[in-house]
């Protein structure tokens, strides 16, 4: 037998048979003594990692064949086992995605508030139980509430896909955001109480009993918050919603969770009362299959049909009327969204103000009504930070109005040149007259088409660039182009200004490219699913099972008592 010195995950002397032991046998011995998975052990000798695949599977190399000798020093180190490595990679990816989610929500909420970029599909508004928009105070309140709402919507989708641990982390982010708001702003809405219930629901689905004390605390807060938003015994909700009570399913979940917490803390009477109340509400919400089939047979989806029947006391006629009205609302919303998209596309063409704000479209419409051209009015608003009076004063000043028009034409020309890949100066350098070159660019087309058009023009007479310059100078001296020359001087100044604007535009585009479009798209998709009643569209299958399970457990405990 030969002695080997081993150090690392386990240290000591091993006696081995170099001519008969294989690397696998050595690794298993080291793993056994160190209490680790053999697959996670790496063995190093003379600076070389010993690999298990050295040799054939049927006839693996012995330690002697691998070059290991008497008194060789073996270093053992712990690497990740194959399964463990995958788990670590998955955890890193999960952590990275959650960080991206928070960053994207932060960016979206900031842009939503400061107007630095139109929000496209990301506009969301907070409404009270009467359907009235909640007016925010500071920008901090607005940004924090928007971020909280977006993260809460994403967390709900994670719950639906059974990613409860991820959902808890996102809910924690949402809670952190809401805490930055003035509490009075959120008192008349039920977003915070619903979020508390969602957190405890995740605890329940994970069967995480160690969170019982926190769950109890959150449910008390949720109950108080719902009472403040909905009124005692839902009185305020019934008044605002003409007797309808879409929130009933939410109360089933709340009372189930209250019963579960009471049961596990030894309060059996309280648990029984909560579970019985939840069961009674559950019976109210159950829809007969025949009734559901009738409504679905009229062309409505199951989810929509269930919602309507729950809201309208299972009356088919009233439910169908409700669904038709909801369909009309969705159609109008789609129409409004398309109009908003059109406005945003137009808004982007005007650029941003020096303070990086978008042009105010309502003020633009007011200036257009007065009689100013749309692009002219937009440029004046852009220059004056959307100050209506200053923009109007600039437009009524002939000199300033003229300079803005020259700038707009110069900007159009620059964009046209960028689009076709040739500039007026380049065409002039080829010998074409400046007026001809400008006109040819305005017509448009590819670079080759523009040059060919100029060459085939009867007036075309390409000359040496030096001659063209002299000819232009003589034309000015004859008095025929004084105004044109002045405009060119103004245009050159405006071009310099536009170069600065272009730099700003490039910087802005850089910000655009830096956006996490994938995650922002995910958030947008979740927001698009949200409407006034979506928070209460709860599939109660798990609640049914849980209520029955805990009622049986309570009966059993009473019998044994």
């Amino acid at each position: 037998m030969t002695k080997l010195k081993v150090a690392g995950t386990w240290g000591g002397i091993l006696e081995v048979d170099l001519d008969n032991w294989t690397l696998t046998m050595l690794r298993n011995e080291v793993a056994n003594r160190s209490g680790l998975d053999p697959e996670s052990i790496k063995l190093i000798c003379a600076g070389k990692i010993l690999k298990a695949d050295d040799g054939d599977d049927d006839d693996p190399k012995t330690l002697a064949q691998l070059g290991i000798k008497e008194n060789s020093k073996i270093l053992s180190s712990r690497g990740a086992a194959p399964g463990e490595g995958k788990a670590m990679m998955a955890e890193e990816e999960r952590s990275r995605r959650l960080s991206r989610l928070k960053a994207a929500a932060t960016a979206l909420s900031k842009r939503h508030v400061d107007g630095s970029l139109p929000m496209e599909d990301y506009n969301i508004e907070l409404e009270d139980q009467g359907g009235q928009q909640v007016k925010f105070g500071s920008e901090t309140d607005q940004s924090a509430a928007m971020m909280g709402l977006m993260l809460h919507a994403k967390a709900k989708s994670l719950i639906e896909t059974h990613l409860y641990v991820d959902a808890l982390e996102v809910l924690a982010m949402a809670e952190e955001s809401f805490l930055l708001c003035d509490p009075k702003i959120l008192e008349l809405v039920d977003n915070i109480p619903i979020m508390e219930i969602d957190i405890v629901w995740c605890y329940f689905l994970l069967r995480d009993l160690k969170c019982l004390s926190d769950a109890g605390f959150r449910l008390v807060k949720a109950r108080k918050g719902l009472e403040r938003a909905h009124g005692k015994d839902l009185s305020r909700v019934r008044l605002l919603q003409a007797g309808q009570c879409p929130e009933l399913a939410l109360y089933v979940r709340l009372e189930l969770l209250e019963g579960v917490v009471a049961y596990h803390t030894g309060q059996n009477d309280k648990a029984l009362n909560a579970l019985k109340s939840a069961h009674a509400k559950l019976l109210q919400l159950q829809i007969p299959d025949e009734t559901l089939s009738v409504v679905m047979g009229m062309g409505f989806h199951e989810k929509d049909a269930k919602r309507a029947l729950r809201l309208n006391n299972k009356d088919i006629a009233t439910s169908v009327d409700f669904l038709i009205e909801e369909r009309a609302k969705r159609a109008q919303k789609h129409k409004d969204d398309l109009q908003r998209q059109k406005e945003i596309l137009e808004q982007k063409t005007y650029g941003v103000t020096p303070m990086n704000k978008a042009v105010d479209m309502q003020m633009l419409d007011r200036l257009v009504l007065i009689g100013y051209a749309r692009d002219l009015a937009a440029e004046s608003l852009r220059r004056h930070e959307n100050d209506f009076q200053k923009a109007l004063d600039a437009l009524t000043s002939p000199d300033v109005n003229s300079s803005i028009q020259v700038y707009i034409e110069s900007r159009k020309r620059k964009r046209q040149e960028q689009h076709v890949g040739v500039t007026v100066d380049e065409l002039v350098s080829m010998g074409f007259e400046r007026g001809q070159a400008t006109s040819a660019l305005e017509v448009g087309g590819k670079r080759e088409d523009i040059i060919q058009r100029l060459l085939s023009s009867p007036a075309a007479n390409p000359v040496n660039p030096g001659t063209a310059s002299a000819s232009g100078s003589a034309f000015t001296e004859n008095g025929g182009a004084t105004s044109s020359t002045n405009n060119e001087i103004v245009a050159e100044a405006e071009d310099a200004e536009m170069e600065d604007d272009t730099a700003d535009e490039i910087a802005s585009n850089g910000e655009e490219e830096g956006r996490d479009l994938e995650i922002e798209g995910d958030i947008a998709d979740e927001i698009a699913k949200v409407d006034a009643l979506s928070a209460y569209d709860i599939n109660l299958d798990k609640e049914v099972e849980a209520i029955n399970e805990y009622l049986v457990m309570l009966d059993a405990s009473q019998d044994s008592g």
Side-chain angles (χ1 to χ4, degrees):
M1 300 292 284
T2 303
K3 293 182 179 180
L4 298 179
K5 296 179 181 179
V6 181
T9 57
W10 174 80
I13 303 294
L14 280 182
E15 290 190 352
V16 302
D17 184 346
L18 294 177
D19 293 322
N20 292 311
W21 277 46
T22 64
L23 180 59
T24 300
M25 294 168 65
L26 178 60
R27 181 183 287 115
N28 287 339
E29 185 64 25
V30 173
N32 182 54
R33 291 175 183 252
S34 59
L36 297 173
D37 183 346
E39 292 295 323
S40 69
I41 296 289
K42 287 184 179 179
L43 299 178
I44 302 170
C45 181
K48 176 186 175 184
I49 297 177
L50 303 175
K51 296 182 180 180
D53 56 358
D54 287 336
D56 298 329
D57 291 339
D58 296 333
D59 185 22
K61 288 184 178 180
T62 64
L63 296 180
Q65 290 172 324
L66 291 173
I68 299 174
K69 301 176 182 178
E70 175 99 28
N71 292 323
S72 288
K73 292 181 179 179
I74 305 294
L75 176 64
S76 67
S77 66
R78 183 178 185 272
E84 188 178 348
K86 290 179 181 177
M88 289 175 62
M89 290 176 62
E91 179 60 26
E92 287 178 5
E93 175 59 30
R94 172 179 165 278
S95 177
R96 197 159 41 239
R97 191 165 185 85
L98 289 173
S99 297
R100 288 172 60 196
L101 175 64
K102 184 174 183 179
T106 301
L108 284 172
S109 63
K110 182 178 182 298
R111 291 204 300 275
H112 180 89
V113 171
D114 67 17
S116 62
L117 186 74
M119 285 295 294
E120 297 154 4
D121 288 331
Y122 309 117
N123 287 310
I124 50 179
E125 296 176 345
L126 192 61
E127 296 179 349
D128 63 20
Q129 288 297 319
Q132 301 300 312
Q133 185 179 349
V134 174
K135 300 298 182 183
F136 291 104
S138 66
E139 284 195 0
T140 299
D141 289 331
Q142 294 180 52
S143 179
M146 290 302 108
M147 183 172 174
L149 291 170
M150 287 187 281
L151 290 170
H152 192 185
K154 181 61 182 176
K156 282 183 171 294
S157 74
L158 291 170
I159 293 173
E160 289 176 3
T161 53
H162 313 300
L163 297 173
Y164 307 126
V165 174
D166 288 4
L168 275 173
E169 292 202 35
V170 177
L171 286 167
M173 296 178 198
E175 183 176 40
E176 183 182 340
S177 298
F178 281 128
L179 287 174
L180 298 176
C181 294
D182 181 347
K184 293 181 179 179
I185 292 176
L186 300 174
E187 280 186 355
L188 295 179
V189 294
D190 55 14
N191 300 80
I192 306 298
I194 291 175
M195 183 184 66
E196 300 284 7
I197 293 171
D198 286 338
I199 290 172
V200 180
W201 184 239
C202 287
Y203 291 162
F204 172 74
L205 294 171
L206 290 168
R207 302 292 177 174
D208 194 348
L209 294 180
K210 69 178 182 293
C211 293
L212 275 177
S213 59
D214 184 55
F217 173 70
R218 288 185 181 279
L219 292 175
V220 170
K221 285 175 59 180
R223 173 70 70 175
K224 290 180 179 177
L226 290 179
E227 187 171 308
R228 187 167 54 245
H230 297 169
K232 189 74 173 176
D233 297 324
L234 299 173
S235 57
R236 186 165 179 270
V237 172
R238 295 181 193 281
L239 179 64
L240 291 170
Q241 299 180 359
Q244 296 175 341
C245 187
E247 294 85 353
L248 203 58
L250 180 66
Y251 281 85
V252 171
R253 180 172 290 179
L254 171 62
E255 291 177 350
L256 161 63
L257 294 172
E258 288 174 333
V260 170
V261 170
Y263 174 82
H264 287 290
T265 53
Q267 304 174 74
N268 285 7
D269 289 342
K270 182 178 178 181
L272 185 60
N273 290 333
L275 290 167
K276 283 184 175 179
S277 180
H279 188 261
K281 290 180 175 63
L282 189 63
L283 293 176
Q284 287 180 249
L285 291 169
Q286 287 182 340
I287 307 297
D289 290 341
E290 301 80 6
T291 305
L292 182 62
S293 296
V294 171
V295 178
M296 290 177 62
M298 297 181 186
F300 298 104
H301 294 295
E302 180 180 356
K303 184 177 179 180
D304 294 334
K306 277 187 177 179
R307 172 195 282 188
L309 287 164
R310 282 177 177 176
L311 276 173
N312 295 283
N313 199 27
K314 306 172 191 176
D315 182 81
I316 293 176
T318 312
S319 298
V320 171
D321 290 341
F322 171 84
L323 287 166
I324 292 172
E325 184 179 343
E326 286 295 299
R327 183 175 283 176
K329 286 180 182 178
R330 281 197 292 268
Q332 183 60 46
K333 183 179 183 302
H334 179 65
K335 183 178 178 181
D336 293 342
D337 288 345
L338 290 176
Q339 178 61 32
R340 175 61 181 146
Q341 287 294 322
K342 183 178 177 182
E343 290 177 0
I344 288 169
L345 289 174
E346 179 190 354
Q347 195 175 34
K348 285 185 175 181
T349 64
Y350 300 135
V352 294
T353 70
M355 296 296 291
N356 207 33
K357 306 284 185 179
V359 171
D360 189 308
M361 301 301 284
Q362 291 183 339
M363 291 187 185
L364 176 58
D365 290 338
R366 286 174 61 190
L367 288 173
V368 171
L369 282 174
I370 294 174
Y372 292 103
R374 201 165 184 82
D375 55 352
L376 185 67
E379 178 57 24
S380 188
L381 282 169
R382 187 191 71 80
R383 293 184 178 197
H384 296 94
E385 286 294 340
N386 290 315
D387 187 310
F388 181 84
Q389 190 56 52
K390 288 182 179 179
L392 182 60
D393 291 343
L395 291 170
T396 54
S397 168
D399 290 342
V400 178
N401 187 307
S402 177
S403 70
I404 293 176
Q405 289 189 54
V406 170
Y407 167 72
I408 291 172
E409 290 303 318
S410 176
R411 183 173 61 185
K412 286 180 180 177
R413 189 181 70 247
K414 283 262 185 181
R415 288 177 176 171
Q416 180 67 17
E417 289 172 352
Q418 290 173 356
H419 179 68
V420 301
V422 64
T423 67
V424 170
D425 289 339
E426 188 178 350
L427 291 172
V428 170
S429 70
M430 295 178 188
F432 297 108
E433 291 184 2
R434 182 170 292 275
Q436 287 180 309
T438 302
S439 299
L441 278 173
E442 288 174 352
V443 173
K446 295 180 181 178
R447 174 192 176 94
E448 295 77 10
D449 296 336
I450 290 170
I451 294 174
Q452 186 59 42
R453 190 183 305 128
L454 284 167
L455 289 172
S456 59
S457 171
N461 184 24
V463 293
N464 182 279
T467 308
S469 177
S471 174
S473 181
F475 181 56
T476 303
E477 289 173 0
N478 289 337
T482 304
S483 175
S484 174
T485 304
N486 287 339
N487 279 342
E488 286 295 333
I489 293 171
V490 174
E492 286 176 11
E494 296 291 350
D495 281 349
E497 180 183 344
M498 198 178 90
E499 286 178 7
D500 293 337
D501 288 343
T502 303
D504 291 340
E505 205 171 304
I506 292 171
S508 176
N509 288 338
E511 291 178 9
E512 194 85 0
E513 290 174 3
R515 290 168 55 187
D516 194 332
L517 297 179
E518 179 192 352
I519 300 297
E520 288 188 9
D522 287 346
I523 294 173
D525 289 342
E526 300 308 329
I527 293 172
K529 299 174 187 175
V530 175
D531 61 28
L533 300 175
S534 57
Y536 317 116
D537 278 333
I538 296 175
N539 185 325
L540 295 170
D541 291 344
K542 283 186 170 62
E543 283 79 357
V544 171
E545 294 176 7
I547 289 171
N548 291 332
E549 176 188 350
Y550 276 87
L551 284 174
V552 169
M553 289 164 65
L554 280 167
D555 285 342
S557 64
Q558 287 176 347
D559 291 342
S560 62

